Structure formats: structure tokens, C-alpha cells
Amino acid sequence: MVRSGSARYEGFGKDGKGVVSTQSGVLSDQPYGFGTRFGDEPGTNPEELIAAAHASCFTMALSFALAKAGFSDGTLDTSAKITLDKDGDGFSITRSDLTLKARVPGIAQDQFEQIAQEAKAGCPVSKLLKAEITLEHSLEV
């Protein structure tokens, strides 16, 4: 399976403007640039897209792991915060902090913790990132 995205940038540096699109069309020529990445301009940025990808990947991995463990009811609500830090003359993504609110009736805390940590480590986006990945969660049973 191969999925794709694309970006086009016109002009250079802070004055340049870009658009980003996805194969599915969910994003189609969405604006991005210096102002959307480092300021408050409307549009998106790579870190926000990575955060959405990580949150959705982890949540789906956890959902399937819980189903495999015999659980069929509940909700998972995950957010991810991506940290972009200065790194010499450039920048590096140094962290992805996942925050999970879960409701899984009938699961023990230690079983949930083990399944959640395995999902965090096994999610394909977690494997892709070379940053520290944390998981904070609350469980409602």
C-alpha cells in the first residue's frame, strides 16, 4: 500500500507561500507557509499534520489491540502535540506527546497500560518518528 501527499511552494523563504494536498482529497491546496508554521495565519503546517497522523495511527492501533484482547465497547480520544525545536541552523521535531482519554468497560488498569504502551510502540507513525514519544492517559471503566 502506498499513500501520497504533495506540496507546492511559490516564492522563497518567509515571503513564499505553499499549498499541501493529499491523495484522498481531504486536503486540497490547503495553504501553508512561514506564517502558518510560526505565526497565526490560517492554514496548516507539517507539525500539525504529523500530530494528526500520530494521534490517528496510535488510536487505531490501540482500538485493534483492544478488540484482539476481547473488548468491543468503549471510546478512545487521543491528541498529539508535536514539538519543533531549534537545532543548529535548522529545526528538529524532538517530541510527540500523546494524550489519551479512554473508556473501556471491564478492563483492568494494568492490562490497559500494557496494551496502550504496545500500541504506542507498534503504531507505524511511532516507528517512523525519531523523537521522544510520551503517552499520558486516563481510563474510565
Side-chain angles (χ1 to χ4, degrees):
M1 174 179 4
V2 175
R3 301 286 188 227
S4 65
S6 62
R8 184 177 70 249
Y9 214 76
E10 295 179 10
F12 299 115
K14 290 182 181 180
D15 296 328
K17 300 287 182 194
V19 293
V20 60
S21 300
T22 58
Q23 174 184 344
S24 68
V26 169
L27 294 179
S28 180
D29 291 336
Q30 290 298 305
Y32 84 104
F34 183 85
T36 65
R37 196 171 197 183
F38 299 104
D40 295 335
E41 288 182 21
T44 191
N45 59 70
E47 292 72 34
E48 156 180 283
L49 297 172
I50 291 168
H54 199 197
S56 61
C57 182
F58 163 73
T59 304
M60 184 178 277
L62 180 54
S63 171
F64 275 76
L66 288 166
K68 184 176 179 183
F71 298 94
S72 60
D73 185 38
T75 58
L76 305 171
D77 185 3
T78 308
S79 66
K81 291 184 180 177
I82 297 293
T83 301
L84 183 68
D85 284 324
K86 189 81 169 121
D87 184 10
D89 289 339
F91 293 88
S92 290
I93 292 173
T94 56
R95 299 177 62 94
S96 179
D97 295 304
L98 297 167
T99 300
L100 168 66
K101 291 180 183 175
R103 185 182 61 78
V104 185
I107 196 168
Q109 181 69 39
D110 60 339
Q111 182 184 20
F112 179 77
E113 178 70 27
Q114 179 180 347
I115 292 171
Q117 290 297 333
E118 288 172 359
K120 179 189 74 146
C123 145
V125 174
S126 290
K127 292 177 182 180
L128 174 69
L129 297 174
K130 295 185 185 327
E132 179 181 355
I133 300 170
T134 65
L135 170 61
E136 180 182 313
H137 62 78
S138 61
L139 172 64
E140 178 186 320
V141 291

